[in-house]
Amino acid sequence: MIIDYNDLNGVFHLNNGTFSYILKVTEDKQLVVLYYGKAVNINNYFEEILAMSQCGFSLQHPSGLMYEKLQLAYGTFGKYALKEEAFLIKDDQGVMIHDFEYFDFKILNNSTLIIRLKEKTRPLWIHLKYRLIHDMSALVKSVAFVNETNEPYEIASAMSASYGLNARMNQVMTFNGTWIKEFSTVQNELSRGRLSFTNLSGVSTHTYQPFLALSNAQTTDDIGEVFGFALIYSGNFTMTIDKDIFNQTTVQLGISAFNFNWSLEPNHTFMTPEVVSVYSDKGFNGMTQTFHRYFLNEVMGFHQGNQYSQVLLNTWEAFYFDIDETRLIEFGKRAKKLGVELLVIDDGWFASRSDDTSGLGAWQLDCEKFPNGIQAIKDQTGLEIGLWIEPEMTNSKNGTVIGPGENLTPSRNQYVLDFTNDEVVDDVFEKVSSILKAHPISFIKWDANRPISEPCSKTIVHQGELYHRYMLGVYKLAQKIKDAFPHITIESCSAGGGRANAGMLPFAVSTWLSDNTDACERIRMQQSAAMFLPLRAIGSHVTAVPNHQMLRETSLKMRGDVAFFGTFGYELDFLKLTPAEEKEVVRQIDFFKKHRKLIQSGDYYRLLGNLKETEGEYAHMVVSGDKNEALVGVYQILCKPNWEGMHVLLRGLNENTFYCVGEKTYSGCYLMNIGINLRQIFTGVQKVDRMHQGRFGYGDFTSEVFYIKKKD
Ligand code: GLA
């Protein structure tokens, strides 16, 4: 790991062998980005890059540099840049403060660089933090604004980071969506101008995820350069990509500046959320694997003992609000027999909750529905128990809710509690912790089912702080629950996939991806989400058919084959399974338990799918770190007449190792270059076994999962 500063030319070179990030302090004491990309071993010739910016008609600075032709590491409007830059700060008269200069730096633990910028005339500071991770092409950035003056200042925008990238990057990938239609992949070609993606729902976002990837037209899943960016934040955010007249591409991510005004009081600090960027020269799969490793190890605390998911059964799609103790005991006993480990009691367990019009907020067990408490369910079923909660919400608008008074707009018959107010957060913590103390709970599903519509808080002075203070309240509550109940695993959810991003990962090790549980929709969404979210974090359940959102019928096998590549669980009525379905469920649960370590800690590769024109064919795989085993999932949405078949080329194996695939043995070289070859089996000449309808060629919605193991 190297964080090098060269006194002679004012160059910082961050290089851990997987990428380089090079910054330079100019004669005008401005910090500019010279390079971000593949690791390079150069520490000189940077004057040539600067010299390229020395012509043109521009503001005059002592160095003669034209800053329009350079990329400031973290610049503001005026003096050096006459465009929207990474931050905007004003004094109490509304006058913009332009003149920040490089001051000094320090290096912590040989892995974190903090560069301080100081306002020329007063002790107003910006600390730029850059953190490198050993052996990983991930760079973590954040910014702190520190006010050591006697005056307050107003921060009108503060991105978490600004990246200068080279002109070769001309494609941008983002995810767009809405309820039950999350994670559509959008690929835009970058031309001159500014492209911006913003979330303004306050609580969460289905519309865009705080993630984007920049690549060029030649980049594929396996080849070429990609830069991926993920903001560790679930509140309002903006991501912009600006390609200017000189072809310089600037990427910025951070809290949305819309309706944001932070009052930075004397002796106070404002910290932005973190953003992690990943450089890959091995296509999108290379980027994905780094994000997975980074989130698992550095954010989700895998090294601290958080491990593989338990096979869960969730009550929502099985019963919706119609739950009680007798029913759940019977349901749970059957589930236990089939191999389930965790019963998650979804919405409907608390007092006054028989539909979504009442009950949110009190968090007391409904003693009529559950006369003997949760303990009785745990004892009688032998399952671990999880509970659904929606701590940020209430059905009553009389409480301390966000909004301008009486005339609030309801959504799902509920309102958002004012989490900008510490007392509200503490009160919710007391209520939630008393339920968690009173009952044997080892898992919570934390939901948030509506956006903030009319942003107005009665408890804060500066309304421009509302959205961010709200998220700080959410994170405060999550941290308090995590500290007080370290044995409890949290899953985050927000009306399906509204928080399916990295923002809750420090607290919640998994996220519910979508209320759409149809296998065909799910394979698309899961592949997209896995672009940056580890499979351990992707909530995936097998549900009933006809599917409740799409009315589509897919085989139980296909539903399982899709759900394996995530946390894996069920959300259907186990009491209604036929004997043949029970047999299949037992097979699936055994299979998942055997392979969950491989699935959730292996290297993930997309083989066919979202990035390519595949006419509804998807394939992906996970490979163990030692390359001794792998699991491959292949899916076809619609059957095609006289189909040419599929050559699924595997990745990540050892060329010269022999692997068993079912009864047969192949070399890694064969599997990666000639592949698994799937042909059509005509339904006209084969007897169709409904249970195994998923096999290739038996009509629409087919799938297969192959386990591959090194030959002994
Ligand atoms: C949201 C979630 C569902 C379920 C319901 C309960 O819609 O996405 O999974 O928990 O709330 O009300």
Side-chain angles (χ1 to χ4, degrees), residues 179 314 316-317 320-321 346-348 353 356 388 390 412 445 447-449 493-497 512 514-515 571:
W179 180 68
N314 177 300
W316 183 241
E317 282 202 15
Y320 293 101
F321 290 101
D346 209 284
D347 204 348
R353 188 73 169 174
D356 64 17
W388 177 94
E390 201 178 357
R412 210 194 188 208
K445 175 176 171 187
D447 211 337
N449 275 311
C493 173
S494 177
W512 184 228
S514 173
D515 279 346
E571 206 166 312

Side-chain angles (χ1 to χ4, degrees), residues 156-157 159 198-201 236-238 255-261 455 463-464 467:
S157 88
M159 292 291 106
T198 297
N199 162 49
L200 295 180
S201 65
N236 283 356
F237 65 84
T238 294
I255 295 171
S256 169
F258 176 80
N259 200 25
F260 173 83
N261 272 297
Q463 296 298 322
Y467 285 119

